[in-house]
Amino acid sequence: MSKGNSRENLVAKQGFFTGLHPGMSIAAKGMIAAFVIFTVMNVELAGGFYKSIRSWIENGLSFYYITLFSIGLFICFWLMFSRFGSIRLGDDDSRPEFSNFSWFAMLFSAGIGIGILFFGVAEPIFYFDNTEGWGYPNNPHADLRGHGDMDMQRAVDAMRVTFFHWGFHGWAFYVLVGLSLAYFGFRKKLPLTLRSALYPLIGERIYGPWGHAVDLLAVFGTVFGVATSLGLGVSQMAAGLNQLFGIDPGIGTKLVLIAVVSVIATASAVSGVGRGIRILSEWNIWLSVLLLGAFVVFGPFQWLMGFFVTTLGDYLWNFVPMGFWTATEGDEVAWQGGWTIFYWGWWMSWSPFVGVFIARISRGRTIREFMVGVMFVPTTIAFFWLCMFGGNAIWQEIHMGAGPGSVDGAGIIQTVRDWNLPSALYGTIDNLAATSWMGGANTISWLMSFLATFLLFSWFITSSDSGTLVITTMLSMGDENPPIKFRIIWGLGEGVVAGALLLAGGLGALQTASIAAAFPISFVLIAMIWGLLKSLHEDPSSTPIAKAQVAQEETNVVQDLRA
């Protein structure tokens, strides 16, 4: 294996681009500028173009995505229990850089922290609803079981589908990408970028056009993934500020929020993984525990615990057959394309970003430790979180007023039907406070809403600073501590992109483009997995030493000593 000498020849030694690959840096900026300008100049045309590509993928390639994710999940479990599990991601004597708590906190922050806060209420409620208001079933998995009424059976089905979209299948690609990068970066001493995983397949050509193209694709997915999520996510933060302080949730407030998040996230990225990103991630975990605890304590505790055990068992029993289910009927095809295939595309488009980051924080761990930690810890936390948030909302709909979806009921279903997803969380908090055993509904509601809004803010910061570090790492050909000035440029640049698209109304279009970009990324991921498996089979550390050989070697040692 190359020891990285080619990287030194490609990184600028002087001038403005010192520490970065000049050609890739210019190409990345030009590519992003071109997409932003094309989208802003004619949002309707760009949106229609991106949507047509995404629709073709979702409706025509469902079988491909479903097969790919099922195979990826199988490879993860196989690697976990294979003879390769004892191989370290680094030298044989290397040990983890971060404690388990810090590691888990950063894994959760980069992977799904903000997503489950945004969708924790809205998604389970959507699947619980049965009105088919979007032209297709809200939950075909429930309908196929004959669970059409909004009762406990459909509630369990709703959580099972939610777990499915946020569970093992999606994390499988984060695991495989992160493992590939950590293995080649720390054990084989190649650059910490996507191109390195292709070394077993194309050798030194990873330092040429093919390698540049792979890393640029990852930069594209990271920039627009973070920018569009930031731009769309400030709508929920603005809704929270309106709930708390009566601040107008309009475009001005959203732009200010983007600016503040970008500045703080850039400062965090400048301070590095060991300081800003780690500290923010740890604080996010503690604050999240506080908010989650409020949902557990103030909610129907006994019902929620039973609901979690039931829904988790239902998911574990069904996640394999669900992973292979391919819709054939027109309305079911539309639902699967709009939800499951959308999610699979979203997981793939984010996998380069998340993979690079979790590789960066996993040096020194064994493959088995990495696989178990990344696959099971964040998913278990996510399952409990989703069940407590979604479960409270479902309980409110079943038990408040005249029943689920009624005019005088909990109101959460109607909020989701109106696609006012940012307000679903705050509506659930209001109902939770109103039914709390402690009294003081207004105070409890305000405090919980404030904590939820602050967490939205801080989770976005950790996603943005992680994205900035990943982008500059790839453009610096794998430098784990890329030049500070470029962390500043790219950190603020993500905010500029998000703000420009928000002003032009093009965030939705670029989000669609990011999902469409998952299709070419999928071929890169296949090549990465192939390269990883090929290299693992050739790794001498994975080959057990025969007893006869050990005995012979020991005999030689004894004979040498006697001599």
Short mmCIF file of all heavy atoms in Angstrom, two decimals, residues 31-62:
data_model
loop_
_atom_site.label_atom_id
_atom_site.label_comp_id
_atom_site.label_asym_id
_atom_site.label_seq_id
_atom_site.Cartn_x
_atom_site.Cartn_y
_atom_site.Cartn_z
N MET A 31 -18.51 24.17 -8.83
CA MET A 31 -19.64 23.26 -8.93
C MET A 31 -20.80 23.72 -8.05
O MET A 31 -21.96 23.75 -8.48
CB MET A 31 -19.19 21.86 -8.51
CG MET A 31 -20.27 20.80 -8.49
SD MET A 31 -19.59 19.17 -8.04
CE MET A 31 -19.00 19.50 -6.36
N ILE A 32 -20.49 24.11 -6.83
CA ILE A 32 -21.54 24.56 -5.91
C ILE A 32 -22.16 25.87 -6.37
O ILE A 32 -23.39 26.04 -6.35
CB ILE A 32 -20.95 24.70 -4.49
CG1 ILE A 32 -20.59 23.32 -3.96
CG2 ILE A 32 -21.91 25.41 -3.56
CD1 ILE A 32 -19.68 23.34 -2.76
N ALA A 33 -21.31 26.80 -6.83
CA ALA A 33 -21.82 28.07 -7.34
C ALA A 33 -22.73 27.85 -8.54
O ALA A 33 -23.80 28.49 -8.66
CB ALA A 33 -20.66 28.99 -7.71
N ALA A 34 -22.36 26.94 -9.42
CA ALA A 34 -23.16 26.66 -10.61
C ALA A 34 -24.54 26.13 -10.22
O ALA A 34 -25.57 26.55 -10.78
CB ALA A 34 -22.44 25.67 -11.52
N PHE A 35 -24.59 25.22 -9.28
CA PHE A 35 -25.88 24.67 -8.86
C PHE A 35 -26.75 25.71 -8.17
O PHE A 35 -27.96 25.77 -8.38
CB PHE A 35 -25.66 23.46 -7.94
CG PHE A 35 -25.62 22.15 -8.66
CD1 PHE A 35 -24.44 21.70 -9.25
CD2 PHE A 35 -26.75 21.37 -8.78
CE1 PHE A 35 -24.39 20.50 -9.93
CE2 PHE A 35 -26.72 20.16 -9.46
CZ PHE A 35 -25.53 19.72 -10.04
N VAL A 36 -26.12 26.56 -7.34
CA VAL A 36 -26.89 27.59 -6.65
C VAL A 36 -27.44 28.60 -7.65
O VAL A 36 -28.62 28.97 -7.61
CB VAL A 36 -26.03 28.30 -5.58
CG1 VAL A 36 -26.77 29.50 -5.02
CG2 VAL A 36 -25.66 27.32 -4.48
N ILE A 37 -26.60 29.04 -8.58
CA ILE A 37 -27.04 30.03 -9.57
C ILE A 37 -28.14 29.45 -10.46
O ILE A 37 -29.16 30.11 -10.73
CB ILE A 37 -25.84 30.49 -10.43
CG1 ILE A 37 -24.87 31.30 -9.56
CG2 ILE A 37 -26.30 31.32 -11.62
CD1 ILE A 37 -23.55 31.61 -10.24
N PHE A 38 -27.96 28.21 -10.92
CA PHE A 38 -28.98 27.57 -11.75
C PHE A 38 -30.31 27.48 -11.02
O PHE A 38 -31.38 27.75 -11.59
CB PHE A 38 -28.51 26.17 -12.16
CG PHE A 38 -29.56 25.35 -12.85
CD1 PHE A 38 -30.05 25.71 -14.09
CD2 PHE A 38 -30.06 24.20 -12.25
CE1 PHE A 38 -31.01 24.96 -14.74
CE2 PHE A 38 -31.03 23.43 -12.88
CZ PHE A 38 -31.51 23.81 -14.13
N THR A 39 -30.26 27.17 -9.73
CA THR A 39 -31.48 27.03 -8.95
C THR A 39 -32.13 28.38 -8.68
O THR A 39 -33.35 28.55 -8.81
CB THR A 39 -31.18 26.32 -7.62
OG1 THR A 39 -30.58 25.05 -7.89
CG2 THR A 39 -32.46 26.09 -6.83
N VAL A 40 -31.32 29.36 -8.30
CA VAL A 40 -31.85 30.67 -7.94
C VAL A 40 -32.41 31.42 -9.15
O VAL A 40 -33.42 32.13 -9.05
CB VAL A 40 -30.74 31.50 -7.25
CG1 VAL A 40 -31.16 32.96 -7.10
CG2 VAL A 40 -30.41 30.90 -5.89
N MET A 41 -31.76 31.26 -10.31
CA MET A 41 -32.20 31.98 -11.50
C MET A 41 -33.60 31.58 -11.94
O MET A 41 -34.38 32.41 -12.41
CB MET A 41 -31.21 31.75 -12.65
CG MET A 41 -29.85 32.38 -12.42
SD MET A 41 -29.91 34.19 -12.36
CE MET A 41 -30.28 34.58 -14.07
N ASN A 42 -33.95 30.31 -11.78
CA ASN A 42 -35.28 29.85 -12.14
C ASN A 42 -35.63 28.66 -11.25
O ASN A 42 -35.40 27.51 -11.60
CB ASN A 42 -35.34 29.44 -13.62
CG ASN A 42 -36.77 29.26 -14.12
OD1 ASN A 42 -37.66 28.89 -13.36
ND2 ASN A 42 -36.99 29.54 -15.40
N VAL A 43 -36.18 29.01 -10.09
CA VAL A 43 -36.45 27.97 -9.08
C VAL A 43 -37.44 26.94 -9.60
O VAL A 43 -37.29 25.74 -9.37
CB VAL A 43 -37.00 28.63 -7.79
CG1 VAL A 43 -37.44 27.55 -6.80
CG2 VAL A 43 -35.94 29.52 -7.16
N GLU A 44 -38.44 27.41 -10.33
CA GLU A 44 -39.47 26.48 -10.83
C GLU A 44 -38.89 25.50 -11.83
O GLU A 44 -39.16 24.29 -11.77
CB GLU A 44 -40.60 27.28 -11.48
CG GLU A 44 -41.87 26.48 -11.64
CD GLU A 44 -43.05 27.35 -12.06
OE1 GLU A 44 -43.17 28.48 -11.57
OE2 GLU A 44 -43.82 26.88 -12.90
N LEU A 45 -38.07 26.00 -12.75
CA LEU A 45 -37.45 25.13 -13.74
C LEU A 45 -36.50 24.14 -13.08
O LEU A 45 -36.53 22.93 -13.36
CB LEU A 45 -36.68 25.97 -14.77
CG LEU A 45 -35.83 25.19 -15.79
CD1 LEU A 45 -36.74 24.35 -16.69
CD2 LEU A 45 -34.98 26.15 -16.62
N ALA A 46 -35.64 24.63 -12.18
CA ALA A 46 -34.69 23.77 -11.49
C ALA A 46 -35.39 22.72 -10.64
O ALA A 46 -35.03 21.54 -10.65
CB ALA A 46 -33.74 24.61 -10.63
N GLY A 47 -36.42 23.18 -9.92
CA GLY A 47 -37.16 22.25 -9.08
C GLY A 47 -37.82 21.14 -9.88
O GLY A 47 -37.80 19.98 -9.49
N GLY A 48 -38.39 21.51 -11.03
CA GLY A 48 -39.01 20.50 -11.89
C GLY A 48 -38.00 19.52 -12.44
O GLY A 48 -38.26 18.31 -12.52
N PHE A 49 -36.82 20.02 -12.79
CA PHE A 49 -35.76 19.16 -13.33
C PHE A 49 -35.27 18.18 -12.27
O PHE A 49 -35.17 16.96 -12.51
CB PHE A 49 -34.60 20.04 -13.81
CG PHE A 49 -33.41 19.26 -14.28
CD1 PHE A 49 -33.47 18.48 -15.44
CD2 PHE A 49 -32.21 19.30 -13.57
CE1 PHE A 49 -32.35 17.76 -15.86
CE2 PHE A 49 -31.11 18.59 -13.98
CZ PHE A 49 -31.18 17.81 -15.13
N TYR A 50 -34.99 18.70 -11.06
CA TYR A 50 -34.53 17.82 -9.98
C TYR A 50 -35.60 16.81 -9.60
O TYR A 50 -35.31 15.64 -9.34
CB TYR A 50 -34.14 18.64 -8.74
CG TYR A 50 -33.06 19.67 -8.96
CD1 TYR A 50 -33.05 20.87 -8.27
CD2 TYR A 50 -32.02 19.42 -9.85
CE1 TYR A 50 -32.06 21.82 -8.45
CE2 TYR A 50 -31.02 20.36 -10.05
CZ TYR A 50 -31.04 21.55 -9.34
OH TYR A 50 -30.05 22.48 -9.54
N LYS A 51 -36.85 17.28 -9.58
CA LYS A 51 -37.94 16.40 -9.17
C LYS A 51 -38.15 15.26 -10.16
O LYS A 51 -38.44 14.12 -9.77
CB LYS A 51 -39.24 17.20 -9.02
CG LYS A 51 -40.38 16.40 -8.43
CD LYS A 51 -41.60 17.27 -8.20
CE LYS A 51 -42.74 16.47 -7.58
NZ LYS A 51 -43.94 17.31 -7.34
N SER A 52 -37.98 15.55 -11.45
CA SER A 52 -38.16 14.51 -12.46
C SER A 52 -37.09 13.42 -12.30
O SER A 52 -37.39 12.23 -12.45
CB SER A 52 -38.10 15.10 -13.86
OG SER A 52 -36.83 15.68 -14.14
N ILE A 53 -35.85 13.83 -11.98
CA ILE A 53 -34.78 12.85 -11.76
C ILE A 53 -35.09 12.01 -10.52
O ILE A 53 -34.99 10.78 -10.54
CB ILE A 53 -33.43 13.55 -11.59
CG1 ILE A 53 -33.05 14.29 -12.88
CG2 ILE A 53 -32.34 12.54 -11.24
CD1 ILE A 53 -31.79 15.12 -12.76
N ARG A 54 -35.50 12.69 -9.46
CA ARG A 54 -35.80 11.97 -8.23
C ARG A 54 -36.99 11.02 -8.42
O ARG A 54 -36.97 9.88 -7.93
CB ARG A 54 -36.10 12.97 -7.11
CG ARG A 54 -36.53 12.32 -5.82
CD ARG A 54 -36.84 13.34 -4.76
NE ARG A 54 -37.81 12.83 -3.81
CZ ARG A 54 -38.38 13.56 -2.87
NH1 ARG A 54 -38.07 14.84 -2.77
NH2 ARG A 54 -39.25 13.03 -2.04
N SER A 55 -38.01 11.45 -9.13
CA SER A 55 -39.18 10.60 -9.36
C SER A 55 -38.80 9.36 -10.17
O SER A 55 -39.29 8.26 -9.90
CB SER A 55 -40.27 11.39 -10.10
OG SER A 55 -40.73 12.46 -9.33
N TRP A 56 -37.92 9.56 -11.16
CA TRP A 56 -37.47 8.41 -11.96
C TRP A 56 -36.75 7.40 -11.08
O TRP A 56 -36.95 6.19 -11.20
CB TRP A 56 -36.55 8.90 -13.07
CG TRP A 56 -35.89 7.78 -13.82
CD1 TRP A 56 -36.47 6.92 -14.71
CD2 TRP A 56 -34.51 7.39 -13.73
NE1 TRP A 56 -35.54 6.02 -15.18
CE2 TRP A 56 -34.33 6.28 -14.60
CE3 TRP A 56 -33.41 7.86 -13.01
CZ2 TRP A 56 -33.09 5.66 -14.76
CZ3 TRP A 56 -32.19 7.24 -13.17
CH2 TRP A 56 -32.04 6.15 -14.03
N ILE A 57 -35.92 7.91 -10.16
CA ILE A 57 -35.19 7.02 -9.27
C ILE A 57 -36.14 6.31 -8.30
O ILE A 57 -36.08 5.09 -8.13
CB ILE A 57 -34.12 7.81 -8.48
CG1 ILE A 57 -33.02 8.31 -9.43
CG2 ILE A 57 -33.51 6.95 -7.38
CD1 ILE A 57 -32.06 9.27 -8.79
N GLU A 58 -37.03 7.09 -7.68
CA GLU A 58 -37.91 6.52 -6.66
C GLU A 58 -38.90 5.51 -7.24
O GLU A 58 -39.20 4.50 -6.61
CB GLU A 58 -38.67 7.64 -5.94
CG GLU A 58 -37.77 8.50 -5.05
CD GLU A 58 -38.51 9.64 -4.41
OE1 GLU A 58 -39.67 9.90 -4.81
OE2 GLU A 58 -37.94 10.30 -3.52
N ASN A 59 -39.40 5.80 -8.44
CA ASN A 59 -40.42 4.92 -9.02
C ASN A 59 -39.83 3.80 -9.86
O ASN A 59 -40.44 2.73 -9.98
CB ASN A 59 -41.39 5.74 -9.87
CG ASN A 59 -42.17 6.75 -9.05
OD1 ASN A 59 -42.57 6.46 -7.93
ND2 ASN A 59 -42.38 7.94 -9.59
N GLY A 60 -38.65 4.04 -10.46
CA GLY A 60 -38.11 3.03 -11.36
C GLY A 60 -36.99 2.19 -10.79
O GLY A 60 -36.66 1.13 -11.35
N LEU A 61 -36.39 2.65 -9.68
CA LEU A 61 -35.24 1.93 -9.15
C LEU A 61 -35.43 1.50 -7.69
O LEU A 61 -34.46 1.29 -6.97
CB LEU A 61 -33.99 2.81 -9.26
CG LEU A 61 -33.52 3.11 -10.69
CD1 LEU A 61 -32.39 4.11 -10.67
CD2 LEU A 61 -33.09 1.84 -11.40
N SER A 62 -36.68 1.37 -7.28
CA SER A 62 -36.95 0.95 -5.91
C SER A 62 -36.28 -0.38 -5.60
O SER A 62 -35.69 -0.57 -4.54
CB SER A 62 -38.46 0.84 -5.67
OG SER A 62 -39.07 2.10 -5.77
#
